């Protein structure tokens, strides 16, 4: 695999095969997801800290269509799914990026069976999609404290002023 960021963006079928190889190699796989519309310090801090829970990290990115269903507003996403995926893939601590179109990443989580599922601390274990499935397979669920005053919505509001 070359170092090109686009090579880290894979389909679910490709991710399944890579996940199998990681499992055979004894890697601990971290999974997280989000829109990551306008990449900012809060995203980088969250993803970097998430990656520390394992040796490989999969980041699932909402497709453009699924972002629109998340009540983010008609102007969202600002950046296309491909642009968002490439930016996340450019982070050295991200191993794979998958774009998903469903309203939640539950199918990805069930299929890829990560060892660690991570979300921001604006969620609780009870409200994290896929938490019970990961726990049922012996995995862990973690939350990361978010960097205050950094959100895509706040950045957009500031730009409009």
């Amino acid at each position: 695999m070359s170092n090109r960021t686009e090579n880290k963006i894979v389909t679910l079928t490709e991710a399944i095969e890579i996940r199998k190889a990681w499992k055979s190699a004894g890697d601990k796989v971290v999974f997280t997801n989000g829109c990551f519309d306008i990449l900012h310090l809060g995203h980088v801090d969250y993803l970097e800290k998430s990656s520390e829970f394992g040796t490989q990290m999969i980041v699932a990115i909402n497709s453009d269509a699924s972002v629109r269903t998340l009540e983010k507003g008609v102007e969202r996403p600002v950046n296309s799914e491909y642009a968002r995926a490439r930016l996340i893939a450019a982070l050295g601590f991200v191993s794979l990026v998958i774009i998903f179109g469903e309203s939640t990443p539950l199918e990805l989580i069930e299929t890829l069976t990560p060892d660690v599922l991570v979300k921001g601390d604006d969620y609780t274990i009870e409200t994290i999609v896929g938490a019970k499935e990961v726990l049922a397979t012996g995995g862990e669920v973690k939350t990361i404290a978010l960097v205050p005053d950094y959100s895509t919505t706040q950045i957009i509001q500031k730009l409009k002023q």
Side-chain angles (χ1 to χ4, degrees):
M1 183 184 281
S2 81
N3 288 332
R4 292 188 55 94
T5 56
E6 61 193 4
N7 292 333
K8 288 185 181 180
I9 304 167
V10 299
T11 64
L12 178 56
T13 302
E14 293 167 321
I16 290 167
E17 292 307 309
I18 294 166
R19 171 63 172 117
K20 284 179 188 172
W22 287 344
K23 190 170 191 165
S24 294
D27 283 315
K28 188 172 185 180
V29 177
V30 177
F31 180 99
T32 192
N33 68 283
C35 299
F36 304 107
D37 194 2
I38 298 175
L39 191 61
H40 55 71
L41 174 64
H43 291 142
V44 173
D45 184 79
Y46 165 75
L47 291 169
E48 184 175 46
K49 288 176 179 171
S50 296
S51 74
E52 294 171 354
F53 292 119
T55 55
Q56 303 286 351
M57 185 162 75
I58 300 169
V59 180
I61 302 216
N62 292 80
S63 68
D64 293 345
S66 72
V67 170
R68 291 185 196 102
T69 67
L70 296 174
E71 300 178 16
K72 299 272 185 184
V74 294
E75 299 169 346
R76 301 283 297 278
V78 172
N79 290 301
S80 71
E81 61 194 45
Y82 179 72
R84 292 181 287 118
R86 284 284 301 271
L87 288 169
I88 296 300
L91 299 172
F93 41 80
V94 173
S95 306
L96 289 182
V97 177
I98 300 175
I99 299 168
F100 70 100
E102 297 77 22
S103 58
T104 75
L106 183 60
E107 180 185 345
L108 294 177
I109 294 165
E110 290 175 328
T111 303
L112 297 171
T113 59
D115 301 298
V116 185
L117 176 62
V118 184
K119 286 298 282 180
D121 68 355
D122 51 338
Y123 288 85
T124 63
I125 301 294
E126 297 76 30
T127 61
I128 296 173
V129 169
K132 69 179 181 184
E133 289 77 7
V134 169
L135 292 170
T137 61
E140 304 171 84
V141 179
K142 306 278 188 182
T143 58
I144 300 284
L146 299 178
V147 177
D149 302 321
Y150 280 93
S151 78
T152 300
T153 301
Q154 287 175 329
I155 291 169
I156 291 171
Q157 288 171 347
K158 191 174 182 179
L159 288 171
K160 286 181 176 181
Q161 293 174 352

